[in-house]
Amino acid sequence: MPSRARVTLTRESVLDAAAELVRRHGPAALTMRRLAAELGTAVTSIYWHVGGREALLDALVERTMTGLGEIRPSGRTPEHRVVSIASSLRRQLRGHPHLVALVHERGLTERMFLPAQQALVREAHAAGLRGARAAEFVRAVQFQVVGHVLVERNRERAPAQNPGEAELWRAGTAGDDPALARALARPVDTERLFETTVRALVRCLLTARGTGPAGHGTVRGR
Amino acid sequence: MPSRARVTLTRESVLDAAAELVRRHGPAALTMRRLAAELGTAVTSIYWHVGGREALLDALVERTMTGLGEIRPSGRTPEHRVVSIASSLRRQLRGHPHLVALVHERGLTERMFLPAQQALVREAHAAGLRGARAAEFVRAVQFQVVGHVLVERNRERAPAQNPGEAELWRAGTAGDDPALARALARPVDTERLFETTVRALVRCLLTARGTGPAGHGTVRGR
DNA sequence: ACCTGAACACCGTTCAAGT
DNA sequence: ACCTGAACACCGTTCAAGT
């Protein structure tokens, strides 16, 4: 009260500072001591407001995730609308690159997809899928989108692979298909790849007619 | 020389001990000090043989990866063979659960797929795909398999989601489809999901006829 | 060529003590 | 109710010194 050189410390202000630290320098830069320095307080004050580092990260992930915004499907057919849901989620996650790492580290990748699930269920229903079939469709899209984002983010921060695709496909390993070798030596256009694969997956799963999902494994599913 | 209470320290023996530590207690347990204790040497000796922690992890990932074993496609059609390649890679990676985390942390997920690329290229050719189309196919499968493994491994070590799918789909949020709600509240059968999605993706990409991969721009794909 | 301990600059967390 | 510094038990890495 007397000095007021700083904003009064609250749970919110701690989370703000933490989020800013992560945004600017990545998750590794978020140490309790550095955060305290940024806030101009003693390290131990943070423990009073948000608990330890684990709790802090939990709260941070939670807050960022709820702020991600609505999923608004667009397009006329279910196929287009599902692709738009997937693209929209991907775009949102790419807008918070460090969040993806944070969420992954904390074993919460599944949570990243929860807000999109309802939207997907609606599209599955619109496409005539119900029950377990619809559930499988939702899960398939979920795994593919989240998985793609994880791989994409990962490769973005790994500039020099060793040995990378470029070297692997320089020699005559391509079975007399130089165009293929050239294509594989080039960096991936991940956005295009994302749309292509999601579209292919959706098309196949939504139009799969007949006796349910393709049989699998040793006996015969369902 | 005089005491010889321990095996002579070599680069190999250091890597052995490190791999064992990771296998038994996870990557977080691999600290230089603990490793030294395990080996019965001074911490600094490790630096002479393998360099710092980064170099150690690099070497560890490298060694484990080369020991993963061959990819042996089985099945009569390209579709079956591609699915078998994907399943085989997934199985190998699941046999080294900590490796996946290690590789991901180090931004090397792409490397996990390199040994499988050649096999996939052969199948793409056998299916009549060439050049950029074949490359896109390989990449699509790559992203999907690696992405799936990442998501799968991630959800395995996140026992209690909060709020999880179970809670989300308990209420009447399923649009009068109780079977769907029940299915989404249940844990995922990831193996089945993996096979279904890979099969769907492969089928769609291998049989896509016409003018090349689906258009992707802002306007309207194909 | 190989190994050592001491030292440095960091961590997260606890706890008794202040106001 | 809120904040503090001291202390504890850890980290990875460097470096001069040993043999």
Side-chain angles (χ1 to χ4, degrees):
Chain A
M1 208 85 77
S3 73
R4 77 173 308 293
R6 293 224 120 260
V7 180
T8 57
L9 203 61
T10 73
R11 181 184 164 84
E12 284 310 300
S13 66
V14 171
L15 290 182
D16 285 344
E20 181 66 8
L21 220 43
V22 170
R23 198 184 61 76
R24 293 227 311 259
H25 307 287
L30 181 57
T31 74
M32 304 300 274
R33 289 174 142 90
R34 183 159 178 186
L35 180 55
E38 211 78 30
L39 287 162
T41 52
V43 197
T44 42
S45 302
I46 299 169
Y47 284 80
W48 199 92
H49 286 284
V50 297
R53 188 163 193 268
E54 291 291 289
L56 202 172
L57 289 173
D58 278 337
L60 210 55
V61 165
E62 190 59 38
R63 219 182 58 152
T64 320
M65 201 102 70
T66 63
L68 272 192
E70 297 294 303
I71 302 278
R72 250 181 277 278
S74 75
R76 274 197 234 87
T77 67
E79 181 187 322
H80 281 106
R81 294 166 69 81
V82 170
V83 173
S84 96
I85 292 169
S87 296
S88 148
L89 181 63
R90 171 173 171 272
R91 217 175 306 116
Q92 284 181 15
L93 295 177
R94 282 179 62 84
H96 301 257
H98 296 311
L99 176 68
V100 177
L102 226 44
V103 168
H104 182 79
E105 277 166 24
R106 307 190 64 64
L108 299 172
T109 55
E110 158 166 36
R111 277 234 40 187
M112 294 198 289
F113 209 80
L114 277 187
Q117 273 195 352
Q118 267 117 337
L120 274 184
V121 164
R122 263 194 299 277
E123 300 309 325
H125 279 164
L129 249 51
R130 298 192 73 79
R133 294 281 308 270
E136 187 167 51
F137 169 76
V138 171
R139 247 85 182 252
V141 176
Q142 167 172 350
F143 269 64
Q144 211 203 11
V145 171
V146 178
H148 181 99
V149 171
L150 287 177
V151 176
E152 192 176 352
R153 212 205 82 86
N154 192 279
R155 73 163 31 222
E156 264 163 20
R157 60 185 192 79
Q161 299 282 6
N162 154 50
E165 291 169 305
E167 295 167 48
L168 181 62
W169 294 105
R170 184 160 304 150
T173 37
D176 77 334
D177 188 345
L180 170 96
R182 253 179 287 120
L184 282 179
R186 273 198 301 270
V188 197
D189 179 345
T190 52
E191 172 149 11
R192 178 179 154 76
L193 184 64
F194 179 77
E195 292 212 4
T196 305
T197 54
V198 171
R199 199 187 315 268
L201 185 71
V202 170
R203 189 173 297 165
C204 250
L205 289 180
L206 285 187
T207 65
R209 68 209 66 221
T211 63
H216 77 295
T218 56
V219 261
R220 277 297 269 115
R222 42 194 311 120
Chain B
M1 211 81 79
S3 72
R4 76 169 307 290
R6 293 223 121 259
V7 180
T8 56
L9 203 60
T10 72
R11 180 182 164 85
E12 284 311 299
S13 68
V14 172
L15 290 183
D16 285 344
E20 182 65 9
L21 221 42
V22 169
R23 197 184 63 74
R24 293 227 310 261
H25 307 286
L30 180 58
T31 73
M32 304 300 273
R33 288 174 141 90
R34 181 158 179 186
L35 180 55
E38 211 78 28
L39 286 161
T41 52
V43 197
T44 44
S45 301
I46 298 169
Y47 284 80
W48 199 91
H49 286 284
V50 298
R53 189 163 192 267
E54 290 291 288
L56 201 171
L57 289 172
D58 278 337
L60 209 55
V61 165
E62 189 59 40
R63 219 181 59 151
T64 320
M65 201 103 67
T66 64
L68 273 191
E70 296 293 302
I71 302 282
R72 251 180 276 278
S74 75
R76 275 198 234 87
T77 66
E79 180 186 322
H80 282 106
R81 294 166 67 82
V82 170
V83 172
S84 96
I85 292 169
S87 296
S88 150
L89 180 63
R90 170 172 171 274
R91 216 174 308 118
Q92 284 181 16
L93 294 177
R94 282 179 64 82
H96 302 258
H98 297 312
L99 176 68
V100 177
L102 226 44
V103 168
H104 182 81
E105 276 166 24
R106 308 190 63 63
L108 298 173
T109 56
E110 157 166 37
R111 278 235 41 188
M112 295 197 290
F113 209 80
L114 277 186
Q117 273 196 349
Q118 267 116 338
L120 274 186
V121 165
R122 264 194 298 279
E123 300 310 326
H125 279 165
L129 249 52
R130 297 193 73 80
R133 292 280 308 269
E136 188 166 49
F137 170 76
V138 171
R139 246 86 182 251
V141 177
Q142 167 171 351
F143 269 64
Q144 212 204 9
V145 172
V146 178
H148 181 99
V149 171
L150 287 177
V151 176
E152 193 175 353
R153 212 204 82 86
N154 191 279
R155 75 163 27 224
E156 264 164 21
R157 59 185 192 79
Q161 297 283 6
N162 155 47
E165 291 168 306
E167 297 167 47
L168 181 62
W169 294 104
R170 184 160 305 151
T173 37
D176 75 334
D177 187 346
L180 169 96
R182 252 179 288 121
L184 282 180
R186 272 198 302 271
V188 196
D189 179 345
T190 52
E191 173 149 11
R192 179 180 155 76
L193 184 63
F194 179 78
E195 291 212 7
T196 305
T197 54
V198 170
R199 198 187 315 270
L201 185 71
V202 169
R203 188 172 296 164
C204 248
L205 288 180
L206 285 187
T207 64
R209 68 210 65 220
T211 62
H216 71 294
T218 54
V219 263
R220 272 293 273 110
R222 44 191 314 122

